[in-house]
Amino acid sequence: LRLTNFYNIRGFRDTRIDTLIVRPSRGAVELSFQVDEGPPVRIASLTVEGANLFEDFDPTAELPVQVGGLLNAIALAATRDTLIQRLRNRGYPRADILRSWRLPAENPYQADVTFEVETGPHSIFGPITLVGNEQIDDDVIRQLLPFEEGQEYSEVRTLEAQRNLFSIEMIQRASIVEAVDPAGVVPDSVVALQVRITEAEVHRMRVGG
């Protein structure tokens, strides 16, 4: 069953596996799995609907799946993740992708694959609050953030900010999360962030002679 599933996920949907059991001697068994892959299902057409948002940027370039490739579920999932990440790095933090494919009855080995983009609102960075820093000044932390309020939202910038914060030895832990409104209201186009800091213990040493 696992071997069949292994091939099905990778585009071989008619794979047949036979098991041969041979007893060469008493108390011993030899197992042989004979695999007939069958014809693979290939991608005949690839459509990304709703991705024509940018003039200087094509989010569909160099995707993990291409026309003519196998209908590989792993590659399809990677393509969905790639599209979501690219959109979230260009101002769409709530972007999502719906994927589907169709196998025509007249040719069940040629798949028409569609990714439907749901961008959500174009967003900017909102107010940035700092939590947990007692010895490190707020201005020092804000200088390490590669973004500021009012700029276009980019998820990769928040990751870069975490790396910058971890470069300071006085910071033991750092995380950047979306701030929760006390009333539970989620703004459509403004992403307020909270920078949470856990400072490391500071030791002083005095040496005399």
Side-chain angles (χ1 to χ4, degrees):
L1 289 175
R2 290 190 178 187
L3 284 171
T4 302
N5 188 53
F6 178 89
Y7 279 94
N8 288 346
I9 288 175
R10 288 158 177 79
F12 295 88
R13 296 176 171 267
D14 289 339
T15 297
R16 295 185 178 182
I17 299 177
D18 293 328
T19 307
L20 292 179
I21 301 177
V22 179
R23 301 181 182 274
S25 62
R26 191 176 213 181
V29 174
E30 292 181 355
L31 297 178
S32 298
F33 296 95
Q34 296 183 343
V35 180
D36 178 11
E37 293 180 344
V41 179
R42 296 191 176 276
I43 299 175
S45 66
L46 177 61
T47 305
V48 181
E49 298 179 351
N52 54 340
L53 302 169
F54 312 97
E55 295 181 357
D56 60 338
F57 169 65
D58 182 10
T60 66
E62 299 180 2
L63 294 174
V65 296
Q66 298 292 335
V67 173
L70 297 176
L71 187 66
N72 187 320
I74 299 172
L76 291 174
T79 299
R80 177 180 179 273
D81 292 343
T82 298
L83 289 169
I84 290 175
Q85 191 64 48
R86 290 175 179 178
L87 291 170
R88 290 180 180 178
N89 289 337
R90 294 297 297 262
Y92 295 92
R94 314 196 195 283
D96 198 6
I97 305 292
L98 302 178
R99 62 179 179 181
S100 61
W101 61 83
R102 186 178 65 90
L103 301 176
E106 62 274 10
N107 193 350
Y109 301 106
Q110 296 290 317
D112 298 319
V113 178
T114 301
F115 291 92
E116 186 178 348
V117 178
E118 294 184 354
T119 61
H122 183 265
S123 303
I124 60 174
F125 286 108
I128 302 167
T129 56
L130 308 180
V131 178
N133 59 306
E134 298 178 358
Q135 304 178 73
I136 306 175
D137 191 75
D138 286 3
D139 291 339
V140 174
I141 294 178
R142 291 184 184 278
Q143 288 177 5
L144 295 173
L145 305 180
F147 55 82
E148 58 186 25
E149 185 176 349
Q151 291 182 338
E152 182 183 69
Y153 179 87
S154 173
E155 191 170 89
V156 72
R157 288 188 180 182
T158 63
L159 298 176
E160 182 183 348
Q162 290 190 55
R163 289 194 296 268
N164 293 344
L165 293 171
F166 276 122
S167 67
I168 297 182
E169 294 181 355
M170 289 182 64
I171 295 179
Q172 186 176 21
R173 296 188 187 90
S175 63
I176 300 176
V177 298
E178 186 171 351
V180 179
D181 188 280
V185 178
V186 179
D188 286 339
S189 58
V190 178
V191 181
L193 296 180
Q194 187 178 83
V195 181
R196 299 175 181 175
I197 301 294
T198 301
E199 295 178 340
E201 294 184 6
V202 178
H203 301 275
R204 293 182 179 179
M205 180 172 62
R206 182 170 57 189
V207 179

